[in-house]
Amino acid sequence: MNFSELVAPNGLFSDGDWIEKKDQDENGTVRLIQLADIGACFFKDKSAKFVTEAKAKELNCTYLQKGDILIARLPDPLGRACIFPLDGKYITAVDVAIVRISRSDINPKYVMYMINSPGFRNDIKHYESGTTRKRISRKNLDKIQFNIPPLPEQEHIISRIEELFSQLDASVAELKTAKERLKVYRQAVLNSCLGDGTLRSIGECIKSMGQGWSPKCERISIEDDDSWAVITTTAIQPMNFSFKENKKLPDSLEPRVKHELKVGDLLITRAGPRSRCGVCCMVKQTKKRLLNCDKVYCLKVNDLIVLPEYMEAVLNAPNFQREIAFCKTGGNDSGVNLTQSRFLSIEVPTPSLDIQKMILAKIDANLSVCDSIEKTVDTALQQAEALRQSILKKAFEGGL
């Protein structure tokens, strides 16, 4: 059986619709479901793009129905699928395939779990295409053959999968709660270690502050030192810089070397969603030929007054994050800016360099334990996802 046979005679197997940016309207009432909404076995419900009913009619869009199976035709991972759980007016983007089963002898949940199983994902690899970013066309998706057992057996397998998933989900929830508690602990450590010393404005503590450059780059990440790349804002996380989060600068463009990042630079996001504006970290490790982007400020501290590691700790402490929050301007939480003049006027404690080193040693001693626990939790979360795949593998090999 393939998808066309699966949905015959009254079902649906199609791609979503071509919705361009110019077609979207924040005042529209028809929501556009995107790749970001598609999880493996669950609907993420993350996107917030809309079109008007008139535009949906003009484009002859296919409206989704509750119970439709949505399949991502792009990574990550390629071919992940979920059941659409909502009622109302929804359409989906072209990179999402729609499977609507109308047959009474087939449970859509069974098909959804089957699509997410390791065996089916291996089948998809035989039909994927593309160089820089793999995808699978609906035509190739329809070439995959599969067997569907009788309905009672489908429902028995679904019941067993969901029983095991429920137990796994409870464990994952506990692990995520532990991560949140570690986050609170980190903030408490930073607040408890900071506070004394001569108050100086951030402007007095730095030699320079500038934003980078964001040309149109290739959508591939570069880790070697031979090619130029520009960081994305995702490279900046609280007290953590990931130089691998970048895009390759086209060979046709001359790099603006004044924006090349160096170890010891302080980076703070200056624009974006409210939760992502004002995020700060120090460059502790980087590759050569890596440029800052224009949505990030790069600060070079005056090392006669402050150590960059100390300033990183200060700017991540909850007390000073609240100060930074007052520097954000913009009426929409999806897009705010960090006002440079306000930010530079924030006053921070600047004890002697020797005391700063003592403070950093105290912070490191407390947070090293936290880091160790967090690694253990992250490993357990990765193992949980591997176990989820193992459950699906056994379910469709008769192992449950």
Side-chain angles (χ1 to χ4, degrees), residues 33-316:
I33 302 303
Q34 299 175 284
L35 284 169
D37 295 305
I38 314 300
C41 298
F42 66 99
F43 182 69
K44 292 183 177 181
D45 202 10
K46 292 180 67 175
S47 65
K49 304 292 184 183
F50 295 86
V51 301
T52 63
E53 289 188 57
K55 178 58 69 173
K57 184 177 180 180
E58 175 190 330
L59 297 173
N60 195 28
C61 293
T62 300
Y63 281 89
L64 296 176
Q65 294 181 9
K66 186 175 182 179
D68 285 349
I69 301 170
L70 305 181
I71 307 174
R73 299 199 297 105
L74 285 171
D76 278 325
L78 181 71
R80 65 193 184 279
C82 68
I83 298 284
F84 185 65
L86 306 175
D87 285 314
K89 295 177 180 177
Y90 299 90
I91 58 176
T92 191
V94 69
D95 287 323
V96 178
I98 308 165
V99 178
R100 182 174 300 157
I101 300 171
S102 60
R103 293 173 51 169
S104 60
D105 63 335
I106 297 178
N107 190 319
K109 277 189 175 183
Y110 179 87
V111 178
M112 182 268 294
Y113 285 129
M114 178 191 70
I115 295 169
N116 284 291
S117 67
F120 199 91
R121 286 188 181 173
N122 287 336
D123 288 340
I124 283 178
K125 288 184 180 298
H126 295 297
Y127 296 102
E128 65 185 14
S129 60
T131 52
T132 58
R133 199 177 187 197
K134 299 296 183 182
R135 67 175 66 228
I136 184 165
S137 67
R138 181 167 54 91
K139 182 179 178 180
N140 282 345
L141 197 59
D142 204 29
K143 292 178 181 179
I144 301 173
Q145 296 290 317
F146 46 83
N147 296 316
I148 303 290
L151 186 60
E153 187 176 343
Q154 294 174 43
E155 293 180 342
H156 173 72
I157 291 172
I158 292 168
S159 176
R160 186 65 178 134
I161 288 173
E162 293 186 345
E163 177 187 350
L164 294 172
F165 274 13
S166 178
Q167 296 171 9
L168 187 59
D169 289 342
S171 298
V172 168
E174 290 180 4
L175 290 168
K176 289 182 177 178
T177 298
K179 283 202 73 168
E180 287 301 311
R181 288 174 179 166
L182 288 172
K183 182 178 177 181
V184 172
Y185 175 73
R186 287 178 184 278
Q187 293 174 336
V189 167
L190 292 176
N191 261 355
S192 66
C193 293
L194 303 168
D196 295 327
T198 303
L199 290 176
R200 289 186 173 91
S201 69
I202 292 176
E204 295 177 84
C205 298
I206 64 173
K207 295 177 180 177
S208 65
M209 175 177 178
Q211 63 199 62
W213 175 48
S214 291
K216 187 172 183 179
C217 293
E218 299 176 23
R219 298 180 65 176
I220 55 174
S221 174
I222 299 295
E223 295 184 29
D224 63 65
D225 293 334
D226 298 327
S227 300
W228 286 94
V230 180
I231 63 167
T232 60
T233 56
T234 53
I236 292 90
Q237 301 296 333
M239 298 187 75
N240 183 37
F241 176 69
S242 175
F243 68 87
K244 297 177 183 179
E245 296 289 325
N246 66 59
K247 292 182 180 179
K248 183 180 183 300
L249 185 73
D251 294 336
S252 58
L253 293 180
E254 187 71 22
R256 297 183 182 179
V257 294
K258 66 179 181 179
H259 298 306
E260 185 175 7
L261 296 175
K262 305 292 184 183
V263 171
D265 288 346
L266 278 174
L267 304 177
I268 185 165
T269 52
R270 69 169 193 85
R274 189 172 296 275
S275 62
R276 285 289 302 153
C277 181
V279 179
C280 178
C281 66
M282 187 188 88
V283 178
K284 301 178 182 70
Q285 180 185 8
T286 188
K287 76 176 216 72
K288 294 179 181 177
R289 301 185 176 182
L290 184 63
L291 304 173
N292 188 25
C293 69
D294 73 350
K295 289 193 175 182
V296 175
Y297 286 133
C298 178
L299 287 70
K300 297 186 183 295
V301 302
N302 182 342
D303 51 15
L304 297 177
I305 299 175
V306 293
L307 302 170
E309 297 90 344
Y310 174 80
M311 184 62 82
E312 177 192 44
V314 169
L315 295 181
N316 278 280

